[in-house]
Amino acid sequence: PFSSAYMPPGYVFIILPFYLIENDFIINLIIISLQILCSAAVIFFLFKLCANIFDKSIAIVSTLIYAILPEFIYACVSFSPTVLFHLLIVLVFYRLQVHNKTNKLDILLPLLLVAIIYLRSEFILFVLFLIMFYIISKQYRQALSYIILILFLILPWSIRNLMVFDSLVPMTTNLGQNLYRGNNSSDVGWWGEEIMIEKVKELPRDKSFEIHMNQLYLNRAINYIKENPVRFVSNGFRKQFELWVFNLTDIRAKLLIYLIPTISIFCLFIIGIIRTFNLPKYKYFYMFFLQATILSAIFFSLPRYQTMMKVLMLPFAAIGMFYVVDVFKKIVFNTESKN
């Protein structure tokens, strides 16, 4: 074991107190119970969000889908920050809509944003989009306040990393390996070639091991992209398919209980997005989907990444569902009228 900053510390802080309990059954019971309660909170705030932005019928359908979709149910009983991410992102969007109406400085919003960054460090891209929007729309007070507060709240983790590694690591040491997993000569999402395993064994076995490993994988990935630009682009399209539709290599993603709802929601989502396209009104949703798209194109996509994104796809999927039902009714009604 070496000093580590491979994962962001948010979920570690949540899990750590449970190590004080010696009974594994009690630990699992408490964690899963808390995640079920967290999921119930997601349903509550998702309803409020959808009712506020859309209407109550969209809110009811969106929360119903969230409550019964197999992948969301599975997320409750899996040991991951997925459900907590859902709660935080729904709260973020609820606060964004409130801020959009009042245009007042919201201290709670940057706190929620930082909480997500501590769970998923790549979420910093969405935060950058948000700050850029505030700057472009001349909301300089909000932009500056959020920059200062977010940097201040991230700083303790960066200082910890500096003290541990004697090297500047703003957040995590997983950039290199994540980039390599999406850009290597084996396959998208693959952990590595045999030669990389041997190279890792040659790295210095000291407290800076992860720094060396990160640089090793980062250099390998960058060289691969430079030498295979066409493959990088073509793989980018595959990564988009795996993010938005289903993963081509994960066996679980090919199960019908997952595949049918996933493809259905994706198709309804596309219909809903097209039917309701409104940049000023839904700009935050578009930012969120854009950052997920960019990250998957550069790195790679796993089924849980889609699950984490899907919670904000549900309102548009509900809109698409109502549109399909209306079209179906009109077709049936016209057919009956002709008969």
Side-chain angles (χ1 to χ4, degrees):
F2 297 107
S3 301
S4 180
Y6 190 79
M7 298 299 292
Y11 198 58
V12 177
F13 290 149
I14 295 170
I15 293 296
L16 187 61
F18 293 99
Y19 280 87
L20 300 175
I21 303 172
E22 295 182 358
N23 188 302
D24 290 343
F25 175 78
I26 298 297
I27 292 174
N28 295 342
L29 180 64
I30 295 174
I31 292 176
I32 291 174
S33 298
L34 290 174
Q35 292 192 160
I36 291 171
L37 291 174
C38 191
S39 181
V42 174
I43 292 172
F44 175 77
F45 286 108
L46 180 62
F47 181 88
K48 293 192 68 174
L49 174 66
C50 294
N52 188 38
I53 301 174
F54 303 98
D55 58 50
K56 286 189 176 180
S57 59
I58 299 299
I60 290 171
V61 172
S62 299
T63 52
L64 182 62
I65 294 173
Y66 187 87
I68 66 174
L69 205 66
E71 62 187 285
F72 292 143
I73 295 172
Y74 177 78
C76 287
V77 295
S78 66
F79 295 92
S80 73
T82 301
V83 177
L84 183 57
F85 177 87
H86 283 166
L87 178 59
L88 290 173
I89 195 63
V90 169
L91 289 173
V92 162
F93 270 70
Y94 184 75
R95 298 306 304 175
L96 283 171
Q97 295 305 318
V98 171
H99 170 263
N100 208 32
K101 292 180 179 179
T102 62
N103 206 29
K104 294 181 180 179
L105 185 64
D106 186 355
I107 299 300
L108 180 59
L109 179 57
L111 295 178
L112 291 169
L113 292 171
V114 170
I116 299 181
I117 292 172
Y118 268 85
L119 289 178
R120 305 289 304 178
S121 55
E122 67 272 18
F123 190 74
I124 194 75
L125 181 59
F126 176 83
V127 175
L128 292 176
F129 283 165
L130 189 60
I131 291 172
M132 285 171 57
F133 166 74
Y134 287 144
I135 293 173
I136 292 170
S137 59
K138 297 182 180 180
Q139 299 180 53
Y140 301 122
R141 182 165 169 255
Q142 282 90 344
L144 182 60
S145 301
Y146 289 177
I147 289 171
I148 293 173
L149 187 54
I150 289 170
L151 288 177
F152 177 76
L153 292 173
I154 292 176
L155 194 59
W157 180 241
S158 302
I159 293 173
R160 174 266 181 192
N161 290 343
L162 181 63
M163 294 174 64
V164 168
F165 298 110
D166 293 327
S167 178
L168 181 62
V169 181
M171 285 297 294
T172 63
T173 57
N174 62 21
L175 172 65
Q177 195 164 35
N178 282 334
L179 186 64
Y180 171 79
R181 285 188 66 185
N183 304 278
N184 62 78
S185 60
S186 297
D187 195 12
V188 173
W190 197 250
W191 279 103
E193 309 146 293
E194 288 295 328
I195 188 174
M196 293 302 291
I197 297 173
E198 296 304 317
K199 286 182 178 292
V200 168
K201 291 178 181 178
E202 297 172 2
L203 295 176
R205 318 298 283 184
D206 56 27
K207 68 177 184 179
S208 297
F209 173 77
E210 282 192 359
I211 305 296
H212 301 306
M213 184 175 71
N214 179 60
Q215 198 61 47
L216 172 68
Y217 278 105
L218 185 64
N219 292 336
R220 185 79 173 186
I222 292 173
N223 288 335
Y224 176 83
I225 294 171
K226 288 180 178 179
E227 295 169 2
N228 303 273
V230 176
R231 183 76 180 275
F232 174 72
V233 174
S234 63
N235 279 344
F237 288 105
R238 172 186 167 178
K239 294 170 189 176
Q240 295 312 301
F241 181 88
E242 292 189 328
L243 173 69
W244 290 97
V245 188
F246 71 92
N247 192 283
L248 297 171
T249 57
D250 195 302
I251 298 175
R252 297 169 300 174
K254 298 176 183 178
L255 296 173
L256 291 180
I257 196 172
Y258 174 86
L259 197 58
I260 293 174
T262 294
I263 294 177
S264 300
I265 288 175
F266 171 71
C267 294
L268 294 173
F269 167 79
I270 294 297
I271 295 171
I273 281 284
I274 294 172
R275 293 286 300 172
T276 62
F277 186 80
N278 186 328
L279 189 57
K281 187 175 183 180
Y282 303 124
K283 54 184 175 291
Y284 301 126
F285 286 92
Y286 302 150
M287 286 182 200
F288 179 74
F289 297 136
L290 178 61
Q291 63 92 27
T293 300
I294 292 173
L295 289 171
S296 66
I298 296 173
F299 298 96
F300 60 97
S301 179
L302 296 175
R304 72 171 177 270
Y305 298 168
Q306 186 193 82
T307 301
M308 297 173 84
M309 177 181 70
K310 193 174 289 181
V311 66
L312 293 182
M313 294 172 61
L314 297 182
F316 297 98
I319 292 169
M321 188 192 75
F322 278 113
Y323 175 74
V324 170
V325 170
D326 287 341
V327 170
F328 179 77
K329 285 181 178 179
K330 288 178 181 179
I331 293 173
V332 172
F333 179 77
N334 290 336
T335 303
E336 289 177 352
S337 297
K338 290 178 182 179
N339 292 336

